[in-house]
Amino acid sequence: MMERNSELMEKIVSLCKRRGFVFQGSEIYGGLAGVFDFGPRGVELMNNIKQSWWKANVYDKENYFGLDSGMFKHPKVWDASGHTSGFSDPLAECKNCNARIRVDKELEKVGVTADEKMSEVEINKLFDSKREEIKCPNCGQKNFSEARAFNLLVKSNLGDFTSQGTDPVYLPGEACQGIYLNFKNILNTMSPKLPFGVAQINKAFRNEISPRNFLFRTREFEQADTQLFVKPNENKAAYEAIKEDRWNWYLSLGIKEENLRWSQHENLVFYCKEAWDIEYNYPTGFDEMEGIHDRSDYDLTQHMKHSGVDLNYTDPETNEKYIPWILETSMGLGRVFLAVLADAYHEEEMDGSTRTVLKLHKDLAPVRVAVSPLLKNKPQLVEKAREVFTMLKKEFGNVAWDDNGNVGKRYRRQDEIGTPHCVVIDFETLGEEDAKLKDTVTIRNRDTGEQERVHIDTLVEYLK
Ligand code: GAP
């Protein structure tokens, strides 16, 4: 395993840029902090992660439904959810260089945990007691303003033609609200019985005070959420089962178990009764990748109160009416993407030199298999290679044609983007050297570097 440090982070960021995985947003204008663009390889890897998640959370389950809600929501949604009043981070400014810090994160660095529910007065008391130990990360001075609660919701002017900014339509601070807003629609159209779940992948936006660590803390990101609706007080066993299920999903992606750990929240956010995080051992150390939250009846009760619409569930057996409780899983796809890369990234000796290789699970790799003719100036080799390429492309879709440089260089290039197999069409494929080898190809394994000869007729089977 590669050592976790800032050097590993720099290597991953550099590989992402060099090989078309991730680019800084608006790069040609100098970049936009906290926003990233996923390039041709990145979008494939991300789509593969999403597909795996969707399969595990919708197709492999009997009682989960998919959803894709609109991002913009009625302004009242964020009052009901508690975000307009309670979704803030404590912000202070350095009086010397004007850099902004998140006071709770700086307090954490000196061993103090700030409760998310603390008032401005309470957090300032804590901050004052530690001011001598907290340095500005930009200029090193210790001269800060008071901490103030800074709301993280991002405003838009959607539908506001007056430019007065009253009652703004916010961008979503969390993706899950769309699920609560559609609870009644799902009851009416799908007639589900409790317990049932809804799964959704959607964007979230937060005015993060200090976006940092590449994809870890961004201002625009995607969340993959499930909300399981259960009978009141029937949350405990379901919560434990969900925790186990989510842990196993990460293992199914090939993530090493030693790089995962559980962390329970001592200080709960306003909507939570119980919260556990699955943390990953990022290049910067263990930190949150996914939150698993027992939200009890908080969300549906709030939306019922603020909308005036009855959100009770009628039990088909007893005719009893009640508000179901909600168990949530919420993961940031950027954080999972970064974890997958950090886990897969290796530098190792092979054939007398050091290679960089992404040992990605074959179902996640942006390129499933690369095909090349041994020599690109031999028409017979190229023609045969094109035949194999077309056949594999029909089967797998994400197949690369690679005829640049010598075969060794092609292998190294494909190693760097995590391609599990490379297929080479050579003179033996044409049957020129040994008739028995006609229509066989060389197939090279990314992780071992071993090469085998496989008949074209069995190639798809072999790769599957
Ligand atoms: N609906 C619950 C919710 O949003 P959260 O713990 O605030 O809970 C869930 O967020 C997940 O979203 C986190 O575990 C993390 O993976 C991801 N996430 C949160 N803020 C993020 C940010 N600024 N950048 C990237 N991912 C973020």
Side-chain angles (χ1 to χ4, degrees):
M1 184 177 95
M2 298 285 293
E3 207 179 313
R4 272 36 194 159
N5 51 31
S6 56
E7 197 188 333
L8 175 61
M9 185 67 114
E10 278 163 26
K11 285 176 174 172
I12 292 171
V13 174
S14 157
L15 185 143
C16 279
K17 183 167 182 189
R18 199 169 66 245
R19 294 295 182 205
F21 282 86
V22 182
F23 309 120
Q24 177 65 58
S26 309
E27 194 180 346
I28 61 168
Y29 287 96
L32 181 65
V35 180
F36 290 92
D37 297 340
F38 289 86
R41 266 77 182 248
V43 71
E44 293 298 334
L45 172 56
M46 186 59 108
N47 282 343
N48 291 339
I49 294 172
K50 287 182 191 173
Q51 269 173 25
S52 164
W53 183 88
W54 193 264
K55 180 175 178 302
N57 290 286
V58 182
Y59 300 155
D60 292 351
K61 303 252 163 71
E62 279 184 34
N63 55 341
Y64 275 68
F65 306 98
L67 182 76
D68 188 6
S69 60
M71 266 200 297
F72 289 107
K73 291 166 179 76
H74 194 288
K76 281 188 184 168
V77 169
W78 304 106
D79 289 335
S81 68
H83 283 75
T84 44
S85 55
F87 189 49
S88 57
D89 283 337
L91 163 84
E93 267 160 38
C94 170
K95 288 187 179 165
N96 181 50
C97 72
N98 297 328
R100 295 186 185 97
I101 59 159
R102 236 183 96 172
V103 175
D104 56 335
K105 290 288 164 198
E106 295 305 318
L107 283 168
E108 250 172 44
K109 287 185 199 162
V110 296
V112 178
T113 312
D115 192 321
E116 305 216 19
K117 287 178 192 141
M118 274 182 175
S119 67
E120 271 182 3
V121 174
E122 286 167 321
I123 199 133
N124 270 307
K125 227 175 172 179
L126 257 190
F127 188 29
D128 287 345
S129 71
K130 292 287 169 186
R131 274 178 187 263
E132 264 315 297
E133 292 173 50
I134 298 176
K135 278 190 198 155
C136 170
N138 190 42
C139 70
Q141 299 230 353
K142 298 175 182 172
N143 189 10
F144 293 104
S145 68
E146 286 214 326
R148 67 183 164 92
F150 178 78
N151 193 286
L152 300 184
L153 284 178
V154 178
K155 287 178 189 162
S156 83
N157 69 345
L158 188 87
D160 175 10
F161 303 101
T162 66
S163 305
Q164 281 167 4
T166 45
D167 249 0
V169 175
Y170 294 100
L171 276 82
E174 57 173 5
C176 59
Q177 291 300 326
I179 299 183
Y180 312 141
L181 300 185
N182 283 289
F183 172 70
K184 195 174 160 66
N185 286 332
I186 290 177
L187 284 186
N188 290 344
T189 52
M190 310 306 287
S191 312
K193 284 200 185 126
L194 291 183
F196 72 89
V198 180
Q200 170 171 252
I201 295 175
N202 217 323
K203 288 236 169 176
F205 299 83
R206 294 182 189 177
N207 237 337
E208 293 287 353
I209 295 164
S210 45
R212 64 187 168 92
N213 297 335
F214 193 36
L215 300 173
F216 184 82
R217 192 172 301 287
T218 54
R219 290 184 173 144
E220 172 183 341
F221 54 98
E222 266 185 308
Q223 290 181 318
D225 287 348
T226 64
Q227 311 289 323
L228 182 70
F229 298 91
V230 298
K231 281 188 186 173
N233 295 309
E234 292 196 359
N235 50 334
K236 286 282 173 228
Y239 190 70
E240 289 313 313
I242 287 174
K243 280 174 65 190
E244 191 182 332
D245 198 47
R246 295 305 305 136
W247 183 270
N248 289 335
W249 180 73
Y250 288 104
L251 300 184
S252 80
L253 298 185
I255 289 187
K256 292 175 207 77
E257 198 158 16
E258 74 216 54
N259 283 331
L260 296 174
R261 75 175 187 198
W262 285 108
S263 156
Q264 184 173 20
H265 280 232
E266 284 169 28
N267 306 305
L268 295 166
V269 283
F270 55 90
Y271 53 73
C272 258
K273 256 192 154 46
E274 185 171 353
W276 287 82
D277 290 339
I278 295 182
E279 294 190 339
Y280 178 75
N281 189 9
Y282 290 100
T284 43
F286 274 99
D287 216 330
E288 174 181 349
M289 178 157 61
E290 167 162 357
I292 295 157
H293 309 135
D294 185 340
R295 299 180 71 126
S296 71
D297 62 354
Y298 175 81
D299 303 280
L300 292 180
T301 305
Q302 284 295 102
H303 284 304
M304 188 155 124
K305 220 189 280 172
H306 284 252
S307 68
V309 173
D310 183 2
L311 296 178
N312 275 295
Y313 170 85
T314 307
D315 193 306
E317 273 140 37
T318 61
N319 259 345
E320 196 191 345
K321 277 187 159 203
Y322 48 79
I323 293 284
W325 287 15
I326 293 174
L327 303 175
E328 168 182 70
T329 70
S330 183
M331 73 177 197
L333 277 156
R335 291 193 188 180
V336 177
F337 185 101
L338 180 57
V340 163
L341 286 180
D343 226 69
Y345 188 97
H346 288 80
E347 286 173 359
E348 60 188 26
E349 292 298 306
M350 187 176 265
D351 304 330
S353 63
T354 307
R355 69 165 182 162
T356 299
V357 54
L358 289 184
K359 295 187 176 175
L360 293 169
H361 189 295
K362 69 175 171 40
D363 295 338
L364 295 187
V367 172
R368 186 66 175 72
V369 51
V371 180
S372 51
L374 181 66
L375 300 169
K376 69 174 175 186
N377 57 1
K378 294 283 177 214
Q380 281 169 296
L381 289 179
V382 174
E383 194 186 328
K384 194 73 189 168
R386 295 293 312 178
E387 261 176 45
V388 174
F389 172 71
T390 308
M391 174 186 83
L392 293 180
K393 206 157 173 57
K394 253 191 215 152
E395 187 64 37
F396 297 109
N398 52 352
V399 177
W401 174 263
D402 191 354
D403 61 4
N404 245 338
N406 64 38
V407 172
K409 282 200 179 129
R410 294 176 207 164
Y411 287 161
R412 291 300 156 95
R413 201 163 43 234
Q414 295 300 329
D415 285 347
E416 263 205 321
I417 62 165
T419 307
H421 290 103
C422 291
V423 168
V424 176
I425 282 68
D426 49 27
F427 292 105
E428 288 173 331
T429 316
L430 305 179
E432 285 183 3
E433 286 165 21
D434 178 349
K436 283 204 294 294
L437 294 178
K438 188 167 172 3
D439 285 337
T440 63
V441 295
T442 301
I443 183 156
R444 184 251 190 192
N445 180 303
R446 174 196 68 200
D447 296 340
T448 61
E450 278 168 17
Q451 301 183 11
E452 281 183 70
R453 287 210 77 81
V454 174
H455 198 279
I456 291 173
D457 289 348
T458 59
L459 196 51
V460 168
E461 198 59 29
Y462 178 96
L463 288 167
K464 277 183 174 172

